[in-house]
Amino acid sequence: MNLETIVQALQLRVKSGRDRLGGEVRGGYVGDLLSDVMANSREGDLWITRQIHQNIVAVASLKDLAGIILVLGAEPAADTLEKAIRENIPLFMADLPAFEMAGRIYQMICPRKA
Amino acid sequence: MLLREVQKILDAEVLVGAEKLDMEVHTAFGADLMSDVLAFADSGCLLLTGLTNPQVIRTADVLDIAAIIIVRGKKPSPETLRAAADKKIPVLSTKYILFESAGRLYEKGIVGSAQKVDGRRVRL
Amino acid sequence: MGAVSACEKWLYENSFPVDGGNFDDAGRVSGRIKTILKEMGIENDVVRMAAVITYESEINIVSYARHGMIRLHVLPEYVEIEVVDEGPGISDIRLAMQQGWSTATDKIREMGFGAGMGLNNIRNFSDIFHISSDVGSGTRLKMIIHIQQEQNR
């Protein structure tokens, strides 16, 4: 599924990386500890977090993640946003909590029938 | 949904609180930042987290959280389990990552838990 | 300990010490305060606010200070919580209050704290919040939570 479809469906606010919305989302990862996300996320994952520290951009870049969604209305720190723009990492803001966000994205990308 | 069904959906192991599996749960909160849990999670929700230290139990106790789901197959320390038993908070462990756990529970009707911080006053 | 003070307008007054560096202990005082307020029949959202405030304060003390004291005063109109610590203090309070700003060690972060949200939580969960600090000596917080107010909001 492409990133843009998810962005539209969940009304994510695009803060950076607008020209990469055609990228493919292969999965999702929820986590707030950088070491965990570094170790366990996979390429193409859309990362859902409340962590706003600028190192999130480095993690997304190193792990080739599809993008970062900051949940619960969290604002990226100023240097985080700058870095995301500079490295062209898609960064989004949303008001939903992580669980709800993950649930909805999972429904979209893993349509297993109950 | 009963906690017993949550256990089934997540193929989870019950580490503490096997006697409380008939408890009803409707909402869940997923996070690794305990300050985030403290700020937003509702009483009575499930807490899904990758953390395993005793502060998870203390945080759950402060908010009267119903039960804790440890994700990614992590096993809490004996100290954490002892704290949970003391506070009578069920602890389950699933091999799924948080994203997958949230997806599977959401699919079966568990919704996100969150309260709004409105100005200085927290609204319940 | 825990008796009603000589000053009769206090419904409850007590002080709870917290040791710096003792992570296993964090949560003990907030747990007690939560129980005390619940037993007094204080409304649930006030109990929750007080518990969150004191828990984040305990985390701050064990994370950064040598020693601290949490004082709880309950009056008919409000709950007052004072947190005084002996520690390094905060040189730039405005910066420290900024979401996401933190001097936390990896150990603190691995426990799920130290993401620069604690002081914000304390402020957001109080109706009145005051902070002052002396570098090299310590930090003092004072929070007030009104009881039975703004029920219709």
Side-chain angles (χ1 to χ4, degrees), chain B residues 12-108:
Chain B
E13 186 184 345
V14 182
L15 304 177
V16 173
E19 72 287 358
K20 295 180 89 175
L21 293 179
D22 288 319
M23 150 198 297
E24 274 279 346
V25 287
H26 306 283
T27 61
F29 194 86
D32 298 323
L33 299 177
M34 291 303 112
S35 291
D36 200 6
V37 181
L38 289 167
F40 293 105
D42 291 303
S43 302
C45 73
L46 289 170
L47 173 59
L48 282 69
T49 184
L51 292 189
T52 57
N53 65 70
Q55 296 309 329
V56 175
I57 311 298
R58 309 256 165 78
T59 301
D61 182 48
V62 163
L63 299 180
D64 295 320
I65 278 171
I68 296 166
I69 316 285
I70 309 271
V71 298
R72 225 160 18 79
K74 293 178 83 175
K75 294 282 184 288
S77 64
E79 193 196 355
T80 301
L81 295 177
R82 210 159 38 236
D86 271 2
K87 301 289 185 188
K88 300 188 171 52
I89 301 172
V91 179
L92 283 67
S93 172
T94 176
K95 62 180 191 297
Y96 297 123
I97 58 172
L98 213 163
F99 180 77
E100 178 85 21
S101 303
R104 286 173 182 249
L105 292 176
Y106 187 81
E107 199 170 53
K108 302 286 178 155

Side-chain angles (χ1 to χ4, degrees), chain A residues 65-99:
Chain A
L65 303 182
I68 308 168
I69 305 176
L70 300 181
V71 289
L72 283 165
E75 296 261 0
D79 48 3
T80 305
L81 184 54
E82 267 169 44
K83 202 168 169 187
I85 291 168
R86 203 164 56 234
E87 303 199 9
N88 203 24
I89 299 292
L91 179 67
F92 311 104
M93 278 177 64
D95 294 328
L96 289 177
F99 179 90

Side-chain angles (χ1 to χ4, degrees), chain A residues 27-48:
Chain A
Y29 202 83
V30 181
D32 301 318
L33 301 182
L34 301 179
S35 53
D36 165 39
V37 182
M38 268 308 277
N40 299 302
S41 65
R42 296 185 187 166
E43 184 181 339
D45 278 352
L46 188 47
W47 178 17
I48 299 164

